[in-house]
């Protein structure tokens, strides 16, 4: 037995006072005159014995009553568990990701979690609430309840291991405290089955299960140019195989311009196609209406009227394949003979291709360096009849070691660096079947920035400091590269890397960069605006080109205007990532061998019982009352 207020036990010393008073009262005698001495002796003797016994019994009952009262005020208790005696630290993680929009028994899962949590939290305790995007410290369930009720969904999520580290950092550094984590989620993400780490924490997981796993979403878009029109392919996805048609509405700004139905035909995927007028700027939104997850019912996109990308070829060889690759209206292609180049036109180009030049002068190298430093891109295709040293001054200026002597030994192009930005999101798979691409002669070069490699691991295409470099000629007498499947994506991406025009749409939270080309004052700052909200994104100025990075700052999906003061330069569309659109069934979650609770009130009742102190003060109050009652009976009944 232990005491909540042990200092009150010092009051037991006060019990000495009634004992001393009682002892002094026993020493006092009262004289009573009487005529018959013999009879008096008998009466005095009998009365004295009974009176002494009564006084001792009354003293004992009084001492017991006072002792019980002192014990009651000291609040004795017996703890249920060892944790009940330790300071409690409770961190509660509330999953507010988009998958929590799924319908539960009392509305969406997040609303259900907030309501049940407020009802279960102990009003006299303080908690730390953690979400994907916020931390509420010293949370009071009474005064801070509105902060929890105002909690909204977020697209900001991290991997489970990073979340555990974040939850660890929320706890205090007190070693004597008992720490426990409570995770409230639908556990759609994988990785929750990892073992607990240090710091002696107890983790409880509450699984919130939706009443249905069906969800239909607009997954992605693809735009094709067909003569004088655009063909917009809209791809929809469902978590379960369905048969019904789903109406899809297409808006330009707020105006409905087309409507159709996506047919699934007992499958999980569907496609619907819309026709758009080519050349017109569109601030588009595709919309469906479904009762499940709502964050993926709208899909925003934008088509801007932009100037064609300017490509200049400085040629000393046939350029037919280049003119076929860079056609209008997307590109404005110009070919200039090597001996007729005017340096003044270089500043106005996005991509400059040195197509098999014989030599590169120092003046041209300086002009090309100015071009790339302003954000342009340079591509070099060497001439196999030229000396390797003719190119080394240019290569050295861009950080390359320089060409070595030409090797005339046929090689196959066998390796693609799929992780290089040039080929990211280009191929659906990682194939190694490239043996149809061959080269007869090439210039060896030492570099770690190879994009395409030969079978002897020598680089065929490399990049450094915005210079793309082929190590061999692309003429048909030296290589069949221009007739293979890599020629189009390679040259197309090299050109688009020169000027990253805003894409049709971006995903929020991803690394998104695009360029805006317009003459602006040196101190000009571009802003992104949506309705009444505006912020300044990260941006870098290179000549007339401004590179904008929007990985941070975008919180809401929709259309954003890129503005300089009051002028709108472009429209950019952002959508939430669709990773949480596909809900996992309960069987897949429980298969990870994780222990779950399924009811928030039951868990908190269980935790409260574990930390309860079996208080005994009520029993001691009862004992004190019984002692006082015994004293009254002794005083009245005992003669």
């Amino acid at each position: 037995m232990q005491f909540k207020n042990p200092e009150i036990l010092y009051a037991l010393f006060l019990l000495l006072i009634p004992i001393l008073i009682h002892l002094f009262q026993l020493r006092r005698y009262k004289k009573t005159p009487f005529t018959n001495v013999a009879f008096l002796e008998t009466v005095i003797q009998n009365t004295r014995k009974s009176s002494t016994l009564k006084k001792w019994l009354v003293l004992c009952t009084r001492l017991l009553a006072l002792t019980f009262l002192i014990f009651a005020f000291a609040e004795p208790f017996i703890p249920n568990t060892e944790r009940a005696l330790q300071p409690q630290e409770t961190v509660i993680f509330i999953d507010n990701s988009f998958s929590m929009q799924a319908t539960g028994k009392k509305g969406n899962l997040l609303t259900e979690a907030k309501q049940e949590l407020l009802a279960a939290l102990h009003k006299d305790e303080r908690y730390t609430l953690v979400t994907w995007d916020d931390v509420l410290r010293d949370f009071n369930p009474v005064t801070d309840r509105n902060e929890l009720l105002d909690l909204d969904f977020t697209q900001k999520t991290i991997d489970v291991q990073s979340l555990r580290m974040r939850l660890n950092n929320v706890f205090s550094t007190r070693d004597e405290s008992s720490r426990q984590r409570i995770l409230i989620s639908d556990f759609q993400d994988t990785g929750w089955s990892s073992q607990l780490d240090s710091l002696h924490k107890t983790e409880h997981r509450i699984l919130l299960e939706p009443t249905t796993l069906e969800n239909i979403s607009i997954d992605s878009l693809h735009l094709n140019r067909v003569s004088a029109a655009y063909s917009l392919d809209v791809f929809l996805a469902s978590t379960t195989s369905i048969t019904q048609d789903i109406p899809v509405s297409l808006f330009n700004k707020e105006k409905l311009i087309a409507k159709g139905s996506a047919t699934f035909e007992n499958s999980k995927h569907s496609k619907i196609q819309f026709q758009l007028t080519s050349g017109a700027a569109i601030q588009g939104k595709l919309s469906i209406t479904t009762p499940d997850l709502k964050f993926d019912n709208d899909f925003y996109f934008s088509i801007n009227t932009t100037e064609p990308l300017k490509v200049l070829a400085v040629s000393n060889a046939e350029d037919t394949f280049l003119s076929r690759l860079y056609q209008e209206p997307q590109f404005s292609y110009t070919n200039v003979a090597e001996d007729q180049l005017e340096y003044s036109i270089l500043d106005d180009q996005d991509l400059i291709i040195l197509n098999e030049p014989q030599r590169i002068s120092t003046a041209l190298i300086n002009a090309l360096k100015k071009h790339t430093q302003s954000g342009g891109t340079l591509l070099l295709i060497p001439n196999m009849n030229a000396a390797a040293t003719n190119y080394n001054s240019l290569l050295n200026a861009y950080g390359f070691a320089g060409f070595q002597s030409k090797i005339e030994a046929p090689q196959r192009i066998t390796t693609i660096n799929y992780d290089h930005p040039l080929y990211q999101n280009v191929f659906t798979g990682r194939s190694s079947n490239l043996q149809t691409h061959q080269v007869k002669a090439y210039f060896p070069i030492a570099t770690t920035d190879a994009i395409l490699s030969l079978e002897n691991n020598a680089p065929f295409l490399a990049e450094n400091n915005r210079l793309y470099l082929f190590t061999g000629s692309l003429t048909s007498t030296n290589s069949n590269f221009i007739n293979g499947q890599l020629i189009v994506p390679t040259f197309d991406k090299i050109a688009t890397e020169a000027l990253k025009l805003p894409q049709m749409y971006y995903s929020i939270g991803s690394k998104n960069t695009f360029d805006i080309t317009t003459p602006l004052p040196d101190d000009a700052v571009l802003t992104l605006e949506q309705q009444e909200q505006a912020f300044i994104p990260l941006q870098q100025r290179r000549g007339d080109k401004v590179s904008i990075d929007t990985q941070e700052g975008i919180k809401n999906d929709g259309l954003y205007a890129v503005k300089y003061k009051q002028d709108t330069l472009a429209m950019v569309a952002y959508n939430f990532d669709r990773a949480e659109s596909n809900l996992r069934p309960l069987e897949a979650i429980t298969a990870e061998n994780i222990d779950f609770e399924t009811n928030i009130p039951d868990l908190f009742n269980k935790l409260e019982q574990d930390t309860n102190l079996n208080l005994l003060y009520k029993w001691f109050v009862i004992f004190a009352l019984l002692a006082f009652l015994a004293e009254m009976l002794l005083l009245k009944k005992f003669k």
Side-chain angles (χ1 to χ4, degrees), residues 516-526 539 541 543-544 546 564 567 569:
I516 298 295
T517 301
T518 184
L520 295 171
D522 292 339
D523 58 348
V525 175
L526 301 184
Q539 48 196 281
R541 182 79 174 272
D544 288 344
V546 181
Y564 172 62
D567 298 330
L569 307 179

Side-chain angles (χ1 to χ4, degrees), residues 160-178:
V160 176
Q161 190 60 32
S162 300
L163 175 62
R164 290 187 187 280
M165 295 176 60
R166 182 183 173 196
L167 294 177
N168 286 350
N169 295 333
V170 171
F171 286 102
S172 69
T173 57
R174 294 180 299 173
D175 294 332
E176 71 277 4
S177 63
S178 175

Side-chain angles (χ1 to χ4, degrees), residues 11-244:
L12 291 174
F13 288 109
L14 298 177
L15 297 179
L16 294 174
I17 296 175
I19 294 175
L20 293 175
I21 293 174
H22 181 78
L23 292 177
F24 279 113
Q25 284 182 342
L26 288 178
R27 297 176 59 87
R28 295 174 60 187
Y29 298 100
K30 182 179 180 181
K31 295 182 179 180
T32 304
F34 207 80
T35 56
N36 192 326
V37 177
F39 177 72
L40 179 60
E41 290 177 353
T42 303
V43 172
I44 291 174
Q45 186 176 13
N46 292 337
T47 304
R48 184 177 298 165
K49 289 180 180 180
S50 61
S51 177
T52 301
L53 177 59
K54 178 179 179 180
K55 289 179 180 179
W56 279 110
L57 290 175
V58 170
L59 175 63
C60 289
T61 55
R62 288 176 178 173
L63 291 177
L64 284 174
L66 293 175
T67 301
F68 289 144
L69 284 178
I70 293 172
F71 270 72
F73 280 105
E75 295 191 67
F77 65 89
I78 299 175
N80 276 348
T81 62
E82 293 183 2
R83 277 199 320 122
L85 301 178
Q86 297 175 321
Q88 300 294 319
E89 281 192 78
T90 303
V91 173
I92 304 173
F93 169 72
I94 306 173
D95 184 359
N96 61 330
S97 62
F98 284 126
S99 63
M100 293 286 284
Q101 288 182 350
T103 304
K105 299 176 181 178
K106 303 175 182 178
N108 63 60
L109 295 182
L110 181 59
T111 300
E112 179 180 325
K114 292 188 291 187
Q115 292 175 349
E116 292 190 356
L117 190 60
L118 282 174
L121 293 178
H122 199 281
K123 302 302 183 290
D124 298 327
E125 292 188 24
R126 300 295 180 268
Y127 304 88
T128 300
L129 303 187
V130 180
T131 65
W132 288 113
D133 58 343
D134 199 5
V135 176
L136 303 178
R137 300 179 184 274
D138 197 28
F139 178 81
N140 186 326
V142 177
T143 61
D144 303 330
R145 60 182 290 115
N146 287 335
E147 293 187 46
L148 177 57
L149 292 174
D150 292 340
L151 177 64
D152 203 357
F153 300 98
T154 181
Q155 87 283 353
K156 285 187 176 181
T157 58
I158 54 179
D159 60 275
V160 176
Q161 190 60 32
S162 300
L163 175 62
R164 290 187 187 280
M165 295 176 60
R166 182 183 173 196
L167 294 177
N168 286 350
N169 295 333
V170 171
F171 286 102
S172 69
T173 57
R174 294 180 299 173
D175 294 332
E176 71 277 4
S177 63
S178 175
R179 299 162 178 167
Q180 62 182 3
R181 293 187 297 212
I182 300 175
L183 310 178
I184 304 175
S185 173
D186 57 357
F187 296 97
Q188 287 294 323
D189 196 357
T190 57
W192 291 102
S193 56
S194 57
Q195 296 296 319
L196 295 182
D197 43 12
S198 56
L199 297 182
H200 307 291
K201 291 173 291 297
T202 301
E203 184 172 275
H204 305 278
R205 305 178 182 95
I206 302 177
L207 173 62
L208 301 180
E209 184 183 1
T211 55
T212 176
L213 294 175
E214 182 177 304
N215 180 50
I216 303 169
S217 63
I218 302 176
D219 185 69
S220 59
L221 309 179
H222 184 69
L223 187 68
N224 298 307
R225 184 185 295 273
V226 182
S227 64
Y230 286 126
S231 175
L232 180 64
D233 293 333
V234 183
F235 298 91
L236 288 83
S238 174
T239 55
T240 58
S241 298
I242 60 175
T243 57
Q244 69 265 32

